[in-house]
Amino acid sequence: MDRARTAALAGRCLLWAGLVLPGVCAGRLGLNEPRPLWQQTAGAGVLAVATVLARRCPLTAFALTAALCLADAPALFSLSYGPALAVFAVLLGLRAERTGPAAPSFAAVAAVGTVRIALGGGDPVPPWLVMTGTLLFGGVLPWLGGRYWRQSRELTAAGWLRAARLEEKQRFAEERARLRERARIAQDMHDSLGHELSLLALRASSRWRRTCPNGTGRRRPTCARRPRTPRTGCTASSACCARTPTSRSPSLRPGRPWDSSSPAPPSPGCRCAARPADGRWSRAVSPSGCCTAWPGRR
């Protein structure tokens, strides 16, 4: 903030010095009539006030400068304050928000100059023509230049603002398209994963049903899973399964030792039981309905 204020103050001081310099040079070179010091000081003070008011009240600054020119020369043509009149006309066109107050100010300056020329005596036509030319080329044209400068700046700012909005809108559109693409890919992955998991669950359920058809969750014996033969109800073809589990033979009752009147003991390849070390056997009926042999207890 301090740097901005310092820069603005330095700019105003430079502008004031530039506006005062033509009057000082014209007086030193003898291009103007000799004037007392107080008039030069008053003119410099008026230019300083106009410089201060040029940013916030450009119309007032232009009016003060025009009054200073008319006080110095009835025809408004002054080497000392003419450049200042053109500069403040440019600032009026550049900084004024509306164009309405400018036209009445030009008309007022022309009317005051005409009245002063008429009261001055002599032929009023040449001074009036000079005043009209000075007002036109030193006031109106610079004001139009300032208006053109202001409008070009506004158009440039509006163009950049529109370009920024279009760029932001395009960025939003690209972001939305990217999000839609991500959502589509995520949906495809979700569908594919769900399909694979469903297949795995279906396969696992089918395998579980084939392994445990009774729904108990336990694996049934091998002989119970194989088709039964009409003779014994078991898939084994050894001597241990030669008789049905429901036979009334004492040797086929559960837990009873194997005696010599029973058929031969089961062969080594029988899947229902294994041969014991002491050669004694006993037989029982499994819950699945298949005969099972195991070593008997003495």
Side-chain angles (χ1 to χ4, degrees):
M1 186 63 67
D2 296 338
R3 291 184 178 180
R5 291 181 179 179
T6 304
L9 181 60
R12 292 176 183 178
C13 292
L14 290 176
L15 177 61
W16 176 77
L19 296 177
V20 173
L21 184 62
V24 176
C25 292
R28 295 294 180 180
L29 296 176
L31 299 177
N32 289 335
E33 296 180 358
R35 292 178 300 176
L37 183 60
W38 68 269
Q39 290 184 358
Q40 297 181 4
T41 305
V46 172
L47 291 178
V49 175
T51 302
V52 173
L53 298 176
R55 181 174 295 275
R56 296 184 178 181
C57 302
L59 183 61
T60 304
F62 176 78
L64 290 176
T65 309
L68 189 61
C69 289
L70 290 175
D72 185 60
L76 200 64
F77 183 77
S78 174
L79 296 177
S80 300
Y81 308 115
L85 181 66
V87 169
F88 286 113
V90 172
L91 294 179
L92 175 63
L94 179 62
R95 296 176 178 175
E97 297 181 357
R98 297 181 299 173
T99 59
S105 63
F106 292 140
V109 171
V112 172
T114 301
V115 171
R116 185 167 182 189
I117 289 173
L119 295 177
D123 190 3
V125 177
W128 188 82
L129 293 177
V130 172
M131 183 198 66
T132 304
T134 303
L135 183 62
L136 179 62
F137 292 100
V140 178
L141 289 182
W143 174 76
L144 292 176
R147 291 301 304 174
Y148 174 77
W149 191 1
R150 178 184 177 87
Q151 291 178 359
S152 64
R153 290 174 58 182
E154 291 179 352
L155 289 176
T156 303
W160 282 111
L161 181 60
R162 182 175 180 80
R165 289 179 179 178
L166 291 177
E167 184 178 359
E168 185 176 2
K169 186 182 296 185
Q170 183 178 2
R171 186 171 61 254
F172 285 162
E174 293 177 357
E175 186 66 23
R176 287 196 299 268
R178 188 181 299 109
L179 291 178
R180 286 197 298 268
E181 185 66 18
R182 290 180 179 178
R184 185 187 65 81
I185 294 174
Q187 185 67 27
D188 294 343
M189 294 177 64
H190 179 269
D191 295 342
S192 178
L193 182 59
H195 179 68
E196 294 295 335
L197 291 178
S198 300
L199 288 179
L200 290 176
L202 184 61
R203 292 174 182 175
S205 177
S206 176
R207 187 176 181 84
W208 182 80
R209 289 180 181 276
R210 287 199 306 268
T211 305
C212 305
N214 56 357
T216 59
R218 297 181 180 180
R219 186 179 183 89
R220 299 182 63 177
T222 307
C223 59
R225 298 199 310 271
R226 296 190 178 183
R228 299 178 179 180
T229 59
R231 183 180 179 183
T232 61
C234 181
T235 58
S237 59
S238 60
C240 69
C241 297
R243 297 182 182 182
T244 61
T246 59
S247 177
R248 296 182 180 180
S249 177
S251 61
L252 298 179
R253 295 178 182 177
R256 188 177 183 84
W258 201 285
D259 54 359
S260 58
S261 63
S262 300
S267 61
C270 180
R271 299 184 180 181
C272 295
R275 183 181 296 274
D278 55 357
R280 297 185 63 84
W281 296 85
S282 62
R283 177 170 297 196
V285 181
S286 64
S288 61
C290 177
C291 59
T292 307
W294 60 86
R297 300 180 181 177
R298 292 184 180 179

